[in-house]
Amino acid sequence: MMTPIMQEFREIETCIECSALRQIQVAEVFYYAQKAVLHPTAPLFDQEAQTLKPRCVRALKRIFMLCDHDRDGALSDGELNDFQVKCFNAPLQPSEITGVKRVVAEKLPEGVNDNGLTLTGFLFLHALFIERGRLETTWTVLRKFGYDDEVKLRDELLQNPSFKRSPDQSVELTDRTIEFLRRVFSAYDLDGDGALRPQEVEDLFSTAPSSPWDDAIYSDCAEKNSMGGLTLNGFLSQWALMTSLDPVKSLAHLLYLNFPGDLASAFQITRRRRIDRKRQRSQRNVLTCFVFGPARSGKSSLLRALIGRPYVDLYSHTQEDQYSVHVVEPIGGSKKTLILREISVDLVSHLLDKKDALAPCDVAAFVYDSSDGLSWKQTSDLLLKVTAHGESSGFEVPCLLVAAKDDLGPEAAAISDSARVCQDMGMEAPISVSIKLGDTNNIFRRLVDAAQRPHLSIPVTEAGRNYQHYKQMVNRSLVVISVGAAVAVVGIAAYKVYLAKRQSSN
């Protein structure tokens, strides 16, 4: 009865006959029930294929690399003993180590070499434990190294360092972390071509549950070479983007890559943007630009130009936020990483429903088709909405107007109206670009420059100008009142001194 059931439903781990009346195998029922919860088979082993599951293999590979202290690709007798003590609090006798390696060598010759137990042998050994029903051995190892029941690092391991911050603060990688990532890149660039092919990226993250860049937003956001390989700049840029969007995810994958030392030294939280504005300088190394504009204005082409992609004449409507990220070197300054976030026109209202919507934004670009008057009208409306939101929320941002498609010839009404708007709102004149002709007019450097000087290039609405005028009047009144009060206090004090002297003279 049991065999056909277990063959048809491989996920069933145990079938057992029992009798409460006759007290037959009652204790075993509870033993196997407990075992199914504490040491389940499903996350580790594929019953159909009779192999370890990919996530289990990735976790065990990371553990193997952590225990291979001399990095020779094998666990020596000493390393095997250290592993045993860490996981099971008991050393291995020399005869036991010899026995383990002999079992592996008999079944899998490549599982052992002159240096010790190889990764292949290590994985084989755990598969053997599981096949023989000793799942508690593998689970003990995984849990000792911080894995949960889903074979991912436990949440508490990802809470240090804390990423608690204000909405207008961001998280960046430190120089130490960037240097570590450079070494990782070089180690996995096996063909030495200065780029990581998709398979090399997969190998790099082979100790993580999966590649963190499988998400759609990372699919085409950074610089690649002509063969589709991720360049070093592209690699570091994607790490910067991931850290900005999801620092906990970045932390987890640094752990999966076995980042050495204290993780608190891996990240830094930037100064608040409000303070940057008061001090008239941004100290950030990673700058985020929100790209607004109506459909067909050229937003996506601008994002593609940042990472060196060729111009595409075929229009495709952007329905979700898209990202591009690349290193930009401003004139007379150090290199900065610029993140362009394309805001779909369909999502602007939803975005501005949040009070702190503009808090992550260092600079905003408003793109319009300079040959289309309607495109300019829609963009000017967007500019007013975003500026008003910044004034009401306190998260004002520098803004630049980008007159795209300059090769088509600008529309006269758009030129005159944009000049008027720039004058009224205190903005720079629109920056003309033609992505099709390859003329970007230094737009990316200019965006970085505007972001680094956050007190400039901030547009002002009429309501905002009136409010500023009102504040200035109030401040002046307070100054007059405070000066008058001070004069009165001094006068009273002088009068009291005068009376005291007069009385003493009498």
Side-chain angles (χ1 to χ4, degrees):
M1 289 175 63
M2 294 183 189
T3 302
I5 293 173
M6 295 193 71
Q7 286 178 344
E8 183 177 356
F9 303 102
R10 293 285 186 172
E11 65 274 17
I12 296 176
E13 296 185 9
T14 308
C15 279
I16 184 169
E17 288 185 346
C18 67
S19 171
L21 177 64
R22 300 182 181 180
Q23 291 293 299
I24 298 172
Q25 298 202 115
V26 173
E28 283 80 354
V29 169
F30 291 98
Y31 167 77
Y32 283 112
Q34 177 176 289
K35 184 178 179 182
V37 173
L38 297 179
H39 308 118
T41 304
L44 307 184
F45 199 71
D46 187 331
Q47 298 280 17
E48 287 282 350
Q50 288 293 291
T51 57
L52 294 173
K53 286 194 170 179
R55 186 172 288 187
C56 178
V57 171
R58 288 169 173 262
L60 291 173
K61 181 179 179 181
R62 173 175 175 265
I63 292 168
F64 177 90
M65 293 173 68
L66 282 170
C67 297
D68 181 18
H69 302 301
D70 55 12
R71 300 291 187 267
D72 64 351
L75 299 183
S76 63
D77 290 359
E79 289 168 339
L80 271 174
N81 189 62
D82 291 344
F83 167 79
Q84 178 75 11
V85 170
K86 178 179 176 66
C87 295
F88 304 101
N89 299 317
L92 282 170
Q93 299 301 317
S95 59
E96 292 176 311
I97 294 176
T98 302
V100 167
K101 292 195 290 188
R102 184 174 61 249
V103 169
V104 174
E106 288 174 355
K107 299 285 187 179
L108 197 70
E110 64 269 28
V112 177
N113 63 20
D114 294 339
N115 296 324
L117 186 70
T118 66
L119 173 61
T120 305
F122 186 72
L123 296 175
F124 168 78
L125 206 55
H126 281 279
L128 193 63
F129 290 148
I130 294 171
E131 287 175 1
R132 293 181 177 179
R134 293 174 55 190
L135 286 102
E136 63 275 9
T137 301
T138 301
W139 274 115
T140 299
V141 170
L142 290 169
R143 286 168 179 153
K144 201 70 177 180
F145 281 87
Y147 287 87
D148 60 17
D149 292 347
E150 296 179 2
V151 200
K152 296 189 299 184
L153 288 175
R154 293 194 300 270
D155 289 342
E156 58 263 30
L157 295 178
L158 307 179
Q159 294 173 356
N160 187 27
S162 169
F163 293 118
K164 187 176 180 180
R165 59 198 184 280
S166 300
D168 59 346
Q169 290 180 289
S170 60
V171 182
E172 296 180 358
L173 299 172
T174 61
D175 290 342
R176 180 186 177 190
T177 312
I178 292 171
E179 186 54 39
F180 166 74
L181 292 173
R182 286 179 183 274
R183 294 196 301 270
V184 170
F185 181 93
S186 297
Y188 284 88
D189 181 18
L190 300 179
D191 52 10
D193 64 348
L196 297 180
R197 292 177 286 105
Q199 184 55 53
E200 289 171 333
V201 174
E202 179 61 30
D203 291 343
L204 188 150
F205 289 116
S206 62
T207 53
S210 61
S211 170
W213 299 337
D214 287 342
D215 294 348
I217 62 171
Y218 299 107
S219 62
D220 196 25
C221 71
E223 181 186 62
K224 294 180 180 179
N225 64 12
S226 58
M227 303 296 290
L230 191 64
T231 64
L232 176 59
N233 267 344
F235 177 74
L236 295 176
S237 295
Q238 285 200 184
W239 272 98
L241 175 61
M242 178 167 66
T243 304
S244 177
L245 296 179
D246 191 348
V248 174
K249 188 175 187 178
S250 190
L251 166 63
H253 285 83
L254 283 176
L255 278 172
Y256 288 128
L257 293 180
N258 299 329
F259 177 80
D262 183 12
L263 282 165
S265 67
F267 301 91
Q268 59 189 10
I269 295 178
T270 62
R271 194 167 66 186
R272 294 193 66 176
R273 287 188 178 87
R274 289 180 178 179
I275 298 175
D276 285 344
R277 216 164 39 239
K278 289 179 180 177
R279 298 188 180 178
Q280 302 185 357
R281 194 69 184 174
S282 172
Q283 297 178 325
R284 299 174 185 228
N285 296 312
V286 181
L287 302 166
T288 299
C289 172
F290 283 13
V291 182
F292 295 96
R296 299 180 180 272
S297 61
K299 301 189 300 297
S300 298
S301 294
L302 191 69
L303 266 69
R304 291 176 60 83
L306 175 66
I307 54 177
R309 296 288 192 277
Y311 174 77
V312 176
D313 207 14
L314 183 65
Y315 172 74
S316 176
H317 182 63
T318 303
Q319 296 182 338
E320 296 181 350
D321 290 352
Q322 302 291 325
Y323 291 87
S324 279
V325 55
H326 194 49
V327 175
V328 176
E329 188 168 0
I331 298 173
S334 57
K335 292 181 179 179
K336 303 293 181 182
T337 300
L338 177 63
I339 298 172
L340 295 185
R341 176 185 173 186
E342 179 183 351
I343 311 293
S344 171
V345 68
D346 303 331
L347 300 177
V348 171
S349 296
H350 176 70
L351 173 72
L352 298 182
D353 284 341
K354 304 171 187 174
K355 181 181 179 181
D356 59 355
L358 299 177
C361 179
D362 294 292
V363 59
F366 291 82
V367 184
Y368 64 96
D369 180 349
S370 59
S371 68
D372 184 349
L374 178 59
S375 180
W376 158 248
K377 177 66 172 61
Q378 292 171 327
T379 301
S380 61
D381 290 344
L382 282 172
L383 176 62
L384 284 171
K385 285 181 182 178
V386 172
T387 303
H389 186 280
E391 291 172 345
S392 63
S393 65
F395 294 114
E396 300 100 326
V397 295
C399 297
L400 297 181
L401 284 168
V402 181
K405 304 185 182 182
D406 193 46
D407 53 287
L408 298 180
E411 208 259 350
I415 294 176
S416 59
D417 195 39
S418 61
R420 180 187 59 77
V421 168
C422 289
Q423 185 176 6
D424 291 346
M425 301 186 73
M427 296 178 64
E428 294 181 24
I431 302 167
S432 298
V433 301
S434 173
I435 305 302
K436 185 175 183 178
L437 299 181
D439 178 16
T440 60
N441 201 1
N442 284 326
I443 180 62
F444 305 120
R445 280 182 174 175
R446 294 167 82 164
L447 286 170
V448 168
D449 288 341
Q452 289 188 106
R453 296 184 293 172
H455 61 297
L456 302 177
S457 305
I458 297 178
V460 183
T461 64
E462 185 176 351
R465 188 177 293 106
N466 291 337
Y467 178 68
Q468 287 180 359
H469 182 62
Y470 169 75
K471 281 177 63 178
Q472 289 173 354
M473 289 181 61
V474 170
N475 290 336
R476 286 172 186 167
S477 300
L478 290 174
V479 169
V480 170
I481 292 170
S482 61
V483 169
V487 169
V489 169
V490 170
I492 292 171
Y495 181 69
K496 287 183 177 179
V497 170
Y498 167 75
L499 287 178
K501 284 183 178 181
R502 184 175 181 182
Q503 290 174 358
S504 61
S505 61
N506 292 332

